[in-house]
Amino acid sequence: MKIQAVVVNGQKIIPSIEVGLQKQKVIGIQTNVQRKKILLAELAEQPDTYVSLVEQGEYKRLTVEELLRFMKNISGHDKPVGTMLRLFQLEDLRKMKISHLPSSKQIYLSLLRIYYAHQQTIVLEEPYFQLEEQERLVFARLLQELSAEKRIIILTSNLEDALISCDEIFRLDNAGLHQLDFADADSEPPVQEEIEEAEFKVQKIPTKKNDKVILFNPPEIDYIESINSMAVVHVGGETYSCALTLAELEERLQHYGFFRCHRSYIVNLQKVRELITWTKNSYSLRLTTGQDSVVPLSRTKLVELKKLLNI
Amino acid sequence: MNVSLKRIQAIIVKDYKEFSRNYAISVMILFPLLFAFMYRSDGAEQATMYAFVINFSLAMLTSFVQACLIAEEKERNTLRSLMMTPASMLDVLIGKSALVFIISAAVLALSTYIFGYDTSNMMVLVAAIGISILLYTAVGTICGLYSKTLIEASLSIFPVLIIFTMGPFALVFEEDYPFVKVLRYLPSSQLSELLNALEIGATTNELIMNLVIISIWAIVLTVISFVLYKKRLMDR
């Protein structure tokens, strides 16, 4: 199923996406409320698709049994009402008027409309949001059964709801659909977690500007230079002074792809775009950051850099 | 567009249950009977009074119930869900209209009996009232389509009530204000005229003009209601 890109006020809200649908699998898409509404409108346009919205109302003056009979007759469903009552676990409530049911049951009943849909693809908006525990369990089971014959998509803004019955979960943002990977927590050895915790260290570079302490993540930094034996950190065209020496910074940052390219410069190699050769003995590095920031590269360090970059 | 009798029947049964259990709407069937009882007389004005009772009942019962049935379905978003079932929009409209027609016909027959109205030309009377019911059902459909909730629907009936039911009474001012003459062509005025003519023993041929005008109203309004129904449902 393909969805065209949606642009609102010149902003791309949803890029064009393609959802691979198949039976036996319940697809969950988690996104924010705005995207959910737009996506639902787009899905409603798709052929052979039944869309169940949250605000679906019900014929509240009918009894449960009368409603199911009506749904059966109107949709041409073949199973007798009694069988469906048993399947839905509503036998005790068959004579009850819908308006007298607890609200969780009413919503459950509205959701059951999907059982009578003849369309091959079924889209549900927030099915679990207002259901209580018991209805959630029953509905999740029914959905699993239904997925044998139909392709089911659940749209929700709540990841936990998607986890209840989705086999594959995607997150939708302005970049597109990203599949979320859920490994079972039990399968991972617990020892590994401990090691990870022990190894975890905060690596922030403390800087000062106008008496304020500002912490930078290493990847944010473009390059660091030493002016009058003071380290100056360049981030996005702004400069910040740092109390650490260049040697200390070099040690801290070498795992983040930084490189001491000159006696008084450390550069973030991820941001280097071009190696400029001025003369035989004079080189510079041009960075990708908008301004024409050029960092000198000493001849002795060139060999080291070439080895590092395999050139 | 396929029409299935089974689905229409399902809609009639469902709507009948909803109608009979919603007392705010089903109480409307009492008004025609009450009015018929109050105004029953054998006097010379019998036909005029009877025409008023019928015209009032048509707006207050037929149009009102139809408008409410459609508006309620829209209010609860069940119409949208119905559109996704094999039931066509025509199934839904015919189902509702048929139920309203049956209820209106039964209530009007009963109130005619209570009123004690009797005529030699039953054929013409039944035809005139039958066509009128269709006409007012179409009016109700239009009102229902333009309202989002039950409350809006019940308010939207008042313009219908004022123009259609009260129209014939404004004919009193015909001599002072010539433009009031237009009201003569309202279906309610035509029905009133027809009933009065029946009273003095007019032949069917003399009444044909009234019947034709009412039929034209009925056809035009039905077509409008169908087109609107289709258009407004597509928009959603």
Side-chain angles (χ1 to χ4, degrees):
Chain A
M1 181 181 286
K2 260 190 177 163
I3 306 268
Q4 292 295 315
V6 178
V7 176
V8 178
N9 295 334
Q11 239 183 328
K12 196 187 250 185
I13 305 294
I14 298 180
S16 61
I17 52 174
E18 197 170 349
V19 188
L21 290 174
Q22 45 185 314
K23 289 174 185 175
Q24 309 280 12
K25 258 189 187 160
V26 180
I27 306 278
I29 297 178
Q30 191 246 329
T31 186
N32 65 14
V33 175
Q34 182 200 18
R35 293 208 177 87
K36 193 179 70 183
K37 288 289 169 208
I38 294 171
L39 194 58
L40 279 170
E42 292 288 317
L43 286 168
E45 301 288 314
Q46 301 282 330
D48 203 21
T49 304
Y50 182 95
V51 179
S52 163
L53 298 179
V54 166
E55 61 258 37
Q56 173 68 52
E58 207 39 85
Y59 301 113
K60 293 197 175 167
R61 283 180 273 276
L62 298 183
T63 65
V64 174
E65 192 178 6
E66 283 166 350
L67 177 76
L68 293 187
R69 177 154 293 127
F70 171 69
M71 288 310 296
K72 172 184 180 305
N73 286 337
I74 203 91
S75 63
H77 203 261
D78 49 357
K79 295 235 180 66
V81 176
T83 317
M84 296 311 265
L85 278 169
R86 255 195 308 285
L87 179 68
F88 298 152
Q89 304 194 357
L90 287 168
E91 279 172 303
D92 307 337
L93 303 168
R94 62 194 299 169
K95 295 274 181 237
M96 189 95 121
K97 266 195 209 170
I98 294 168
S99 55
H100 296 165
L101 292 175
S103 71
S104 171
K105 277 265 192 286
Q106 290 188 15
I107 291 157
Y108 170 63
L109 208 52
S110 308
L111 285 170
L112 292 180
R113 280 171 180 261
I114 62 166
Y115 242 84
Y116 292 95
H118 62 89
Q119 287 87 344
Q120 282 304 303
T121 307
I122 290 173
V123 179
L124 287 147
E125 181 196 8
E126 300 284 2
Y128 295 106
F129 185 53
Q130 295 183 74
L131 289 186
E132 281 169 20
E133 200 59 42
Q134 193 201 343
E135 280 79 44
R136 278 185 182 206
L137 285 172
V138 182
F139 190 70
R141 186 176 55 73
L142 288 173
L143 214 53
Q144 208 59 51
E145 277 177 36
L146 198 61
S147 70
E149 304 158 23
K150 303 279 168 88
R151 297 182 287 261
I152 297 175
I153 305 176
I154 290 178
L155 284 184
T156 177
S157 44
N158 187 350
L159 191 59
E160 274 175 51
D161 285 355
L163 283 169
I164 295 177
S165 64
C166 296
D167 300 309
E168 277 176 14
I169 301 177
F170 296 88
R171 171 173 280 140
L172 176 68
D173 56 24
N174 53 10
L177 273 182
H178 314 285
Q179 182 161 11
L180 299 182
D181 206 6
F182 289 98
D184 280 332
D186 309 332
S187 62
E188 261 178 52
V191 189
Q192 206 178 336
E193 260 173 55
E194 276 168 37
I195 293 170
E196 268 174 30
E197 248 171 64
E199 275 185 351
F200 190 76
K201 253 194 277 174
V202 181
Q203 275 298 7
K204 291 264 193 180
I205 304 302
T207 63
K208 265 195 168 179
K209 181 148 191 164
N210 304 337
D211 293 332
K212 273 185 236 163
V213 175
I214 299 169
L215 302 175
F216 283 110
N217 278 333
E220 289 179 289
I221 298 169
D222 298 334
Y223 64 97
I224 302 165
E225 68 182 315
S226 168
I227 302 172
N228 300 333
S229 70
M230 263 277 283
V232 176
V233 179
H234 292 254
V235 179
E238 296 271 329
T239 57
Y240 307 84
S241 57
C242 179
L244 300 167
T245 65
L246 275 198
E248 284 170 332
L249 283 167
E250 188 190 358
E251 196 201 326
R252 277 205 191 191
L253 291 172
Q254 61 184 353
H255 297 299
Y256 291 92
F258 282 73
F259 177 66
R260 183 84 177 255
C261 54
H262 189 269
R263 202 165 54 84
S264 48
Y265 283 92
I266 299 175
V267 71
N268 184 352
L269 282 180
Q270 299 296 324
K271 301 207 174 184
V272 172
R273 160 80 71 230
E274 193 182 347
L275 174 66
I276 311 169
T277 315
W278 302 113
T279 64
K280 216 169 179 190
N281 293 326
S282 156
Y283 309 93
S284 281
L285 293 171
R286 196 194 295 282
L287 304 189
T288 53
T289 50
Q291 275 91 359
D292 279 302
S293 31
V294 176
V295 180
L297 176 66
S298 57
R299 195 167 51 85
T300 47
K301 296 285 182 181
L302 177 67
V303 185
E304 209 177 311
L305 179 69
K306 279 191 169 170
K307 209 192 279 173
L308 208 66
L309 298 176
N310 294 328
I311 38 178
Chain B
M1 188 146 309
N2 54 336
V3 175
S4 143
L5 220 59
K6 192 183 163 201
R7 291 196 288 264
I8 291 177
Q9 200 186 349
I11 288 171
I12 294 179
V13 170
K14 187 265 300 177
D15 274 334
Y16 170 70
K17 280 173 185 152
E18 288 255 291
F19 165 78
S20 57
R21 287 169 199 174
N22 186 356
Y23 301 123
I25 297 176
S26 55
V27 72
M28 286 299 163
I29 60 171
L30 292 179
F31 285 106
L33 304 177
L34 202 69
F35 270 58
F37 184 76
M38 275 171 15
Y39 289 107
R40 119 193 106 120
S41 65
D42 300 324
E45 292 278 283
Q46 199 200 20
T48 313
M49 272 341 285
Y50 178 66
F52 167 69
V53 170
I54 295 292
N55 279 330
F56 179 80
S57 312
L58 284 168
M60 222 40 202
L61 179 70
T62 313
S63 296
F64 180 81
V65 172
Q66 177 80 355
C68 287
L69 283 180
I70 289 178
E72 193 175 21
E73 197 99 42
K74 279 170 71 181
E75 186 179 351
R76 289 177 309 198
N77 282 317
T78 42
L79 200 54
R80 194 192 67 88
S81 173
L82 267 188
M83 290 297 109
M84 288 191 287
T85 65
S88 63
M89 40 179 271
L90 214 56
D91 283 335
V92 178
L93 190 58
I94 292 175
K96 288 189 189 303
S97 305
L99 174 74
V100 170
F101 189 92
I102 295 166
I103 294 173
S104 307
V107 170
L108 287 180
L110 194 59
S111 54
T112 305
Y113 174 75
I114 293 174
F115 192 89
Y117 186 82
D118 204 11
T119 178
S120 49
N121 203 340
M122 207 48 139
M123 274 284 290
V124 175
L125 179 70
V126 170
I129 292 183
I131 297 168
S132 295
I133 294 178
L134 284 181
L135 186 167
Y136 281 90
T137 311
V139 173
T141 307
I142 296 170
C143 289
L145 287 175
Y146 274 108
S147 25
K148 287 194 189 67
T149 62
L150 263 185
I151 297 172
E152 274 182 45
S154 41
L155 287 176
S156 70
I157 287 304
F158 282 96
V160 177
L161 199 64
I162 289 165
I163 295 169
F164 282 52
T165 308
M166 297 305 163
F169 292 97
L171 286 175
V172 181
F173 305 111
E174 202 177 348
E175 280 173 16
D176 299 334
Y177 307 100
F179 67 88
V180 175
K181 217 179 264 177
V182 185
L183 294 178
R184 192 178 284 275
Y185 294 99
L186 279 179
S188 46
S189 309
Q190 290 296 320
L191 186 67
S192 178
E193 226 172 70
L194 183 141
L195 289 171
N196 275 308
L198 264 183
E199 186 80 353
I200 53 171
T203 61
T204 310
N205 286 337
E206 289 171 84
L207 302 169
I208 213 82
M209 196 57 205
N210 300 115
L211 274 181
V212 166
I213 292 178
I214 298 178
S215 305
I216 290 173
W217 272 92
I219 291 166
V220 169
L221 284 172
T222 307
V223 168
I224 291 176
S225 72
F226 267 65
V227 171
L228 269 180
Y229 182 75
K230 194 166 183 176
K231 193 164 150 269
R232 295 198 59 99
L233 286 186
M234 292 298 164
D235 286 350
R236 287 160 59 82

